[in-house]
Amino acid sequence: MSAWETVIGLEIHAQLATRSKIFSGAATAYGAAPNTQACLVDLGYPGVLPVLNAEAVRMAVRFGLAIGARIARQSVFARKNYFYPDLPKGYQISQYELPIVAQGAIDIVLEDGSVKRIGVTRAHLEEDAGKSLHEGLGALTGIDLNRAGTPLIEIVSEPEMRSAKEAVAYMKKVHTLVRYLEICDGNMQEGSFRCDANVSVRPVGAQKFGTRAEIKNINSFRYVEKAIQYEVARQIELLESGGKVVQETRLYDPDKGETRSMRSKEEANDYRYFPDPDLLPLELDEAYIEAARAELPELPDAKAARFASQYGLSVYDAGVLTAGRDLADYYETVVRAVPTQPKLAANWVMGELAAALNKEGLEVGSGRLPAERLAGLLTRIADATISGKIAKELFEAMWSTGQDADALIEAKGLKQITDTGAIEQAIEAVMAKNPAQLADYRAGKDKLFGFFVGQVMKATQGKANPAQLNELLKKKLSG
Amino acid sequence: MALTREQVENIAHLARLELEAGEIPQFQQNLSRIVDFIGELERADTAGVAPMAHPLPGLAQRLRPDAVTERDEHELYQKNAPQVAAGLYLVPKVIE
Amino acid sequence: MIHRETLTQLSADLRARKVSSVELVRTFLARIEASQPTLNAFVSITAEQALADAEAADRRLAGGGGGALEGVPIGHKDLFCTAGVRTSCGSRMLANFVSPYDATVVARLKAAGAVMLGKLNMDEFAMGSSNETSHFGPVRNPWNTALVPGGSSGGSAAAVAARLLPAATATDTGGSIRQPAAFCGITGIKPTYGRVSRYGMIAFASSLDQGGVLAASAEDAARVLREMAGFDPRDSTSVDTPVPDYLAGLGAPLQGVRIGVMKEFFDTGLDPEYERRVREALAVFERLGARVREVSLPNLPLSVPVYYVVAPAECSSNLARYDGVRFGHRCRDPRDLQDLYKRSRSEGFGAEVKRRIMTGTYVLSAGYYDAYYLKAQRVRRLISADFERAFGEVDLLMGPTTPTAAFALGAKTADPITMYLNDIYTISANLAGLPAMSVPCGFAAGLPVGLQIIGPHFAEQALLHAAHRYQLETDWHQRIPEQYA
């Protein structure tokens, strides 16, 4: 048992999925040639002014409502002043004292299955910065301001997570939520969803927090876990060897698997926040907020609870199936087509389908295997047209050919044999071919039953209905 | 209140201004004068008075529809730039 | 002598085709060229473009078309962005900056048919009260070239006073339209905050800056302002209320109008002869039927310290974008990023701009924000409330525009506070966002004196009306410096 307790708070930056930027009419599309999506406002040109994007506001409100937070009737944009080449105006427009969203909460499921509630201190609107490119420019750095002005919500948690695993669970939950709400595409590779982790340790039982380090810009769940684990170990080792943790900004290096101090941000920052005089207070009335509430989709927790009760799924399965809105929708489309088989549908969606998608690195929403098509397969299992074993083969064929289950059953003659006469015929042929085994069986070698099942299946190319086969075979073998 | 040389140097650094050694005493004197002058505000009784960030009362932020209205004009905009290459603004290497 | 005509008259003559825009442009360009070595009112003269625009205006006029200011020559203070034309803001920082876009004010006046002759000199980034901080050298007062024209719109004011232009755009953050109007003996109006778009007007202090007009008369100012004003979706602080026709009803009687004389403006700093001229002007209003009485706005004396917290705070942030990366001055051979920032900014900005950036940085910094910035914003509310109370009792407020008439070049450069106190009567209107004018009301020791008129929010029409009525009774606004008559 470690003598140290880990304390983690996360600041998650989620890019809002608006068409245009938060304060300008430039496009937000990812991957454009450098500076082709940076307009005068994004470049901080002399004389230009910001005007707030309505959609960014609506999205932030959706998030706030989804986490049961207080939506500010009046929030204020402030300037955070610092010099950096990817920050064109020399200040970032953010929210400081009066954020749009405050005091929400997010529930996470721990490894032991218990639920832990993590407080969300605030979520505020702000603009993203540009990007610095260091490769291939020798002694220079190149600045691309396409990303500058992309709307963000920064979601700040309370320092309530106690392990790297909890932090990952929380981050995943927020990720699920923003995608459910359709306010962020969640693409972590493109930086649409990333986080800063505030990490400290303290002796178990201590009241006061230890000095924290902030690990900046982590853009994968795995790195969050590894970065925190590394940082916790580093801090404990430092403290146990009589050292002190320095409050600083650190960067996680995934190649080396370690965090290191960011020299460029070393100096104590004095951001000189003050209300942005170019923007007026943002005021939202009751009607606006209620309209946004009415437009909220069913949220993951509610959906999971409904799945468990409506479809008789385990809490775990319901959780897995509702982790993404696309996945949940997929599942429900399948179930609608095979309403008597919710568990079968769950097993197939989480089993074969998930494995196949995973293998090709695809998302459920990719349309690779439409829900209707999977439902077609399950319908044939449910009505005993095919056996489960054949179904697996069939699934692979459907996956590779893109054809319907019925078409493939027809073409390959995979239809299950349920005709008693036909099965009996096959049994009799096998018995005739194997007199020695038959004699042994009848002499008491029960284990040979499996041999006969195998032989009949082989003879019917696996199409004999297994239950019927069992029953008929027992009858026939016993003479 | 007299500002120290260190204070003036710190402010200049925050503002990314480089003051020559010879200029500092002048700025120190000027800024001290200004700080004394604005220090008069201390006398005002502002108990219960909310700060006023905007000169017009009762106005709220207007919202813009989410539409792309800007085109790529980077060549025009970069005509004012001191150093560019391949569409990028160039600065001395940034060490992270 | 065509240059002595008012803009109103010139506009009528153009419309009647008694004069062509090309003629006007040539006349004024010649006067500009001739005056430049003495007055230095212009940073850029756009003669070629002006003549081309004038020809186009003449064609439209010949066809019976054109806007309200078709063919009228004007100039823009060099902080209004003008597409394809250098916009320097009076600074070395932007000495080579060519704006890729037009400010809304520029675009509107262009659409109204006005022809730009050039960009007017100004205090660097509009920070100054004497036009001595310009990178392009000081502007001189046409009444006496040993004197300053006032600032920061000194180029605009000197140009109109010397009739190098019938009118010019200007901006006013703490008095930068009214104070030079007073010093140069012309009429200037700073509208209500939010009335004229700030888009494309290079920011000094965003919550105080407001674009306006310098002209020879209130009627001329009204004519130009009518075209400049109005809602702009690109400026979040622009107000979406209709612009009244400022020319309608000009000259109606002032019978019963309640005028408050601001007691606090007649303090010990006010030059006695200046005060006599202002009191004489008040007597004219009384004679015209207005009811004049003294009112007190007890918090006004704190305006200057409030301003010198708020304006520098905003400017320190507004001017952070000048970093030598995307536009503006860049130092030679920067060693590293910090060197690039520091040398580019130190070389690009002059001493007064640096002082204000540093003051603003200081008042916003950790440990001082509450004591200075927040405190100032609280006192700002007290000042604003004083005005609100006063406008419950009177329709307009009047007083002197400045404590003294124009002073000599170099007289106030040694001590920043002495210079700042020159704006003591003008700053409060900016803090409260109120419309305010300066109108010539005589001479003190041979130098122009300005009467200041302040109104409630969006009362531009009432201000222009009162000023025009006064100008029908007096001829101070028609006086032109002898050398430029």
Side-chain angles (χ1 to χ4, degrees):
Chain A
M1 193 62 199
S2 168
W4 299 94
E5 182 183 44
T6 301
V7 175
I8 303 159
L10 293 188
E11 292 166 14
I12 294 175
H13 290 87
Q15 281 184 354
L16 297 174
T18 54
R19 289 186 203 96
S20 65
K21 296 196 175 163
I22 184 166
F23 297 118
S24 82
T28 54
Y30 180 82
N35 291 307
T36 56
Q37 288 181 170
C39 72
L40 294 170
V41 173
D42 308 325
L43 295 171
Y45 246 73
V48 297
L49 297 168
V51 186
L52 183 58
N53 185 334
E55 191 60 12
V57 173
R58 198 186 65 93
M59 289 177 168
V61 169
R62 275 165 81 78
F63 180 77
L65 291 171
I67 61 163
R70 242 183 30 219
I71 308 299
R73 299 304 186 265
Q74 189 183 69
S75 63
V76 169
F77 287 94
R79 294 183 180 178
K80 179 182 183 178
N81 295 284
Y82 64 97
F83 286 88
Y84 209 69
D86 65 12
L87 188 72
K89 299 185 293 299
Y91 59 84
Q92 179 194 30
I93 305 177
S94 182
Q95 296 189 308
Y96 188 52
E97 281 178 339
L98 295 170
I100 186 164
V101 167
Q103 293 175 0
I106 286 174
D107 288 345
I108 58 171
V109 180
L110 304 184
E111 280 179 310
D112 65 2
S114 64
V115 171
K116 178 171 178 178
R117 176 155 291 193
I118 306 294
V120 174
T121 318
R122 56 186 281 156
H124 61 255
L125 280 165
E126 63 182 25
E127 56 181 345
D128 208 343
K131 280 182 188 163
S132 304
L133 304 160
H134 310 290
E135 307 303 319
L137 293 164
L140 299 170
T141 290
I143 308 297
D144 174 9
L145 296 169
N146 281 347
R147 197 178 68 174
T150 299
L152 292 176
I153 40 169
E154 179 176 331
I155 303 156
V156 183
S157 83
E158 292 289 326
E160 291 176 349
M161 285 155 278
R162 293 293 173 266
S163 69
K165 284 225 166 11
E166 285 184 22
V168 173
Y170 167 82
M171 193 176 173
K172 281 188 170 163
K173 190 63 178 286
V174 174
H175 190 250
T176 297
L177 205 52
V178 295
R179 296 207 306 165
Y180 256 75
L181 295 166
E182 293 175 323
I183 62 172
C184 173
D185 68 15
N187 191 324
M188 297 174 78
Q189 252 162 4
E190 292 177 2
S192 302
F193 190 88
R194 52 193 202 260
C195 92
D196 303 339
N198 285 300
V199 179
S200 65
V201 297
R202 62 179 170 186
V204 168
Q207 289 298 307
K208 249 181 76 184
F209 289 131
T211 306
R212 66 171 198 265
E214 184 181 19
I215 315 169
K216 279 274 184 202
N217 264 330
I218 325 175
N219 66 347
S220 98
F221 297 124
R222 206 160 54 92
Y223 293 167
V224 165
E225 184 164 359
K226 294 200 154 180
I228 292 173
Q229 280 166 348
Y230 175 89
E231 182 58 24
V232 167
R234 185 188 73 87
Q235 290 186 12
I236 291 173
E237 197 182 301
L238 199 60
L239 292 168
E240 287 183 344
S241 61
K244 261 189 171 173
V245 175
V246 185
Q247 184 163 343
E248 63 179 348
T249 305
R250 299 179 70 85
L251 199 64
Y252 178 65
D253 181 339
D255 296 332
K256 293 187 182 152
E258 59 185 38
T259 65
R260 61 179 159 84
S261 185
M262 281 175 87
R263 259 172 299 160
S264 60
K265 306 227 168 167
E266 208 170 71
E267 66 177 80
N269 273 313
D270 184 345
Y271 291 125
R272 292 159 282 136
Y273 280 101
F274 74 106
D276 191 331
D278 287 332
L279 292 159
L280 295 163
L282 172 62
E283 287 178 5
L284 301 176
D285 61 19
E286 216 60 42
Y288 179 95
I289 294 166
E290 287 318 307
R293 196 191 303 279
E295 283 172 10
L296 284 184
E298 185 181 26
L299 297 173
D301 288 350
K303 204 183 270 283
R306 179 170 66 79
F307 275 25
S309 68
Q310 186 176 341
Y311 303 126
L313 303 178
S314 70
V315 170
Y316 177 82
D317 287 358
V320 172
L321 287 171
T322 53
R325 196 165 158 185
D326 286 347
L327 182 66
D329 288 349
Y330 187 99
Y331 171 73
E332 290 212 278
T333 308
V334 174
V335 172
R336 265 195 298 280
V338 240
T340 57
Q341 303 290 337
K343 280 190 188 165
L344 181 72
N347 290 339
W348 275 83
V349 170
M350 294 187 300
E352 300 292 316
L353 176 74
L357 287 169
N358 200 25
K359 209 166 146 191
E360 290 186 15
L362 291 173
E363 298 285 325
V364 69
S366 63
R368 183 70 171 74
L369 182 73
E372 292 74 13
R373 198 165 289 162
L374 180 64
L377 176 68
L378 302 191
T379 306
R380 295 299 160 245
I381 300 173
D383 68 10
T385 305
I386 54 170
S387 68
K389 186 159 176 278
I390 292 284
K392 288 191 182 172
E393 283 172 32
L394 198 53
F395 178 87
E396 276 172 34
M398 288 166 70
W399 187 263
S400 54
T401 65
Q403 284 186 274
D404 281 353
D406 285 353
L408 286 165
I409 290 167
E410 192 62 40
K412 295 193 169 195
L414 293 177
K415 199 166 180 181
Q416 187 164 253
I417 302 167
T418 51
D419 173 31
T420 312
I423 298 172
E424 277 177 347
Q425 223 173 9
I427 292 171
E428 280 157 16
V430 166
M431 283 162 69
K433 253 195 225 169
N434 299 285
Q437 285 83 350
L438 180 62
D440 287 353
Y441 178 84
R442 288 188 172 159
K445 228 177 168 181
D446 289 353
K447 278 184 182 167
L448 281 168
F449 187 78
F451 165 77
F452 285 102
V453 172
Q455 290 301 307
V456 178
M457 276 298 186
K458 201 172 162 189
T460 59
Q461 289 150 326
K463 290 185 286 190
N465 178 293
Q468 275 176 297
L469 170 59
N470 261 333
E471 196 187 328
L472 293 170
L473 190 61
K474 252 180 217 162
K475 215 190 290 173
K476 289 272 176 195
L477 288 178
S478 57
Chain B
M1 192 177 88
L3 267 65
T4 64
R5 190 184 174 95
E6 286 68 34
Q7 274 178 303
V8 171
E9 283 170 343
N10 280 337
I11 298 165
H13 174 67
L14 263 181
R16 296 300 183 274
L17 292 170
E18 187 172 74
L19 304 184
E20 281 165 34
E23 293 180 295
I24 294 178
Q26 182 70 42
F27 275 104
Q28 206 180 327
Q29 191 202 329
N30 287 165
L31 291 175
S32 298
R33 275 277 280 149
I34 294 168
V35 168
D36 278 342
F37 179 67
I38 60 181
E40 271 185 51
L41 292 173
E42 211 181 308
R43 291 189 287 117
D45 179 7
T46 54
V49 180
M52 179 172 152
H54 286 281
L56 293 182
L59 288 184
Q61 178 60 35
R62 227 171 336 103
L63 299 176
R64 193 188 95 242
D66 180 25
V68 175
T69 54
E70 303 294 321
R71 290 171 301 157
D72 170 23
E73 297 271 18
H74 77 279
E75 283 178 16
L76 173 65
Y77 300 162
Q78 291 187 342
K79 279 186 186 163
N80 280 308
Q83 201 181 3
V84 289
L88 295 165
Y89 294 94
L90 300 179
V91 298
K93 191 132 199 131
V94 178
I95 305 141
E96 286 200 332
Chain C
M1 293 302 272
I2 207 168
H3 63 270
R4 304 185 63 162
E5 300 286 1
T6 63
L7 180 145
T8 300
Q9 188 58 50
L10 290 174
S11 187
D13 289 352
L14 281 163
R15 179 80 40 213
R17 315 222 59 227
K18 285 187 191 162
V19 65
S20 73
S21 180
V22 169
E23 260 175 90
L24 283 186
V25 167
R26 283 192 204 284
T27 303
F28 283 108
L29 280 175
R31 293 180 65 80
I32 292 166
E33 294 290 354
S35 74
Q36 196 55 12
T38 346
L39 297 182
N40 193 31
F42 282 77
V43 172
S44 303
I45 300 163
T46 53
E48 210 174 306
Q49 186 62 48
L51 283 165
D53 291 348
E55 282 172 20
D58 283 332
R59 279 195 298 277
R60 281 190 287 273
L61 287 163
L69 298 174
E70 197 64 49
V72 174
I74 56 155
H76 291 300
K77 185 175 181 179
D78 206 19
L79 52 55
F80 285 101
C81 284
T82 41
V85 176
R86 173 172 67 173
T87 301
S88 75
C89 231
S91 181
R92 183 182 179 199
M93 182 59 85
L94 294 177
N96 297 308
F97 176 74
V98 176
S99 174
Y101 75 108
D102 274 336
T104 299
V105 160
V106 170
R108 278 176 182 260
L109 288 173
K110 212 181 250 183
V115 176
M116 177 179 84
L117 304 195
K119 304 294 293 288
L120 292 150
N121 203 349
M122 54 183 281
D123 276 304
E124 185 179 10
F125 281 98
M127 297 174 200
S129 308
S130 65
N131 224 301
E132 292 167 288
T133 71
S134 171
H135 171 63
F136 300 92
V139 177
R140 288 168 186 271
N141 193 318
W143 291 94
N144 176 344
T145 54
L147 307 183
V148 303
S152 66
S153 312
S156 300
V160 173
R163 301 303 193 263
L164 311 180
L165 288 169
T169 58
T171 60
D172 190 317
T173 303
S176 286
I177 288 176
R178 292 160 286 158
Q179 184 250 21
F183 279 16
C184 291
I186 58 169
T187 303
I189 180 162
K190 174 203 100 71
T192 308
Y193 183 83
R195 181 75 289 184
V196 167
S197 169
R198 291 189 298 116
Y199 188 79
M201 200 177 98
I202 297 179
F204 159 17
S206 310
S207 79
L208 302 162
D209 293 344
Q210 181 58 206
V213 195
L214 285 163
S217 71
E219 188 179 13
D220 286 359
R223 203 168 286 280
V224 178
L225 184 62
R226 190 172 63 162
E227 305 309 315
M228 286 169 69
F231 175 63
D232 180 5
R234 287 183 183 273
D235 175 0
S236 294
T237 61
S238 168
V239 178
D240 193 1
T241 56
V243 179
D245 182 356
Y246 296 133
L247 294 169
L250 278 184
L254 285 174
Q255 198 65 44
V257 170
R258 298 169 301 168
I259 293 172
V261 178
M262 293 172 286
K263 184 178 133 208
E264 287 74 16
F265 280 16
F266 294 83
D267 58 7
T268 52
L270 180 59
D271 172 72
E273 199 179 345
Y274 201 121
E275 176 172 351
R276 279 198 291 280
R277 294 295 96 77
V278 172
R279 298 232 182 251
E280 285 160 15
L282 292 168
V284 172
F285 281 97
E286 229 163 1
R287 212 162 58 232
L288 289 169
R291 298 207 306 264
V292 180
R293 51 179 277 212
E294 189 172 80
V295 293
S296 173
L297 290 85
N299 292 293
L300 284 199
L302 289 169
S303 298
V304 187
V306 168
Y307 180 85
Y308 279 95
V309 172
V310 175
E314 293 181 2
C315 110
S316 71
S317 177
N318 283 335
L319 271 59
R321 69 191 61 204
Y322 306 104
D323 58 5
V325 177
R326 297 164 316 287
F327 43 73
H329 177 74
R330 174 184 280 206
C331 67
R332 276 178 183 278
D333 306 322
R335 287 190 311 277
D336 54 29
L337 184 65
Q338 295 309 319
D339 187 46
L340 165 72
Y341 283 155
K342 291 189 175 181
R343 275 202 292 131
S344 298
R345 289 168 60 76
S346 299
E347 293 166 8
F349 293 138
E352 180 59 22
V353 171
K354 286 181 201 169
R355 257 195 298 275
R356 298 212 194 180
I357 289 176
M358 290 176 66
T359 305
T361 303
Y362 176 74
V363 299
L364 288 176
S365 64
Y368 299 100
Y369 179 80
D370 288 10
Y372 293 109
Y373 181 78
L374 273 189
K375 181 77 179 182
Q377 295 287 42
R378 290 183 211 279
V379 179
R380 184 179 186 179
R381 189 174 295 282
L382 293 179
I383 292 166
S384 188
D386 277 359
F387 276 112
E388 209 176 312
R389 214 173 300 116
F391 286 124
E393 296 165 18
V394 298
D395 303 308
L396 296 171
L397 289 167
M398 291 192 188
T401 305
T402 55
T404 65
F407 49 84
L409 265 89
K412 300 195 179 191
T413 44
D415 176 37
I417 300 300
T418 313
M419 185 68 88
Y420 296 172
L421 285 171
N422 197 55
D423 297 332
I424 191 159
Y425 306 142
T426 45
I427 277 171
S428 54
N430 299 82
L431 294 175
L434 300 167
M437 286 187 80
S438 181
V439 178
C441 68
F443 290 82
L447 294 172
V449 168
L451 169 74
Q452 187 176 202
I453 314 176
I454 304 176
H457 290 133
F458 302 104
E460 286 78 7
Q461 204 166 13
L463 295 187
L464 290 162
H465 178 183
H468 179 66
R469 193 69 196 78
Y470 174 76
Q471 289 181 341
L472 290 178
E473 295 300 312
T474 58
D475 67 352
W476 305 118
H477 63 290
Q478 290 166 355
R479 307 290 180 89
I480 300 172
E482 208 174 312
Q483 217 184 322
Y484 299 92

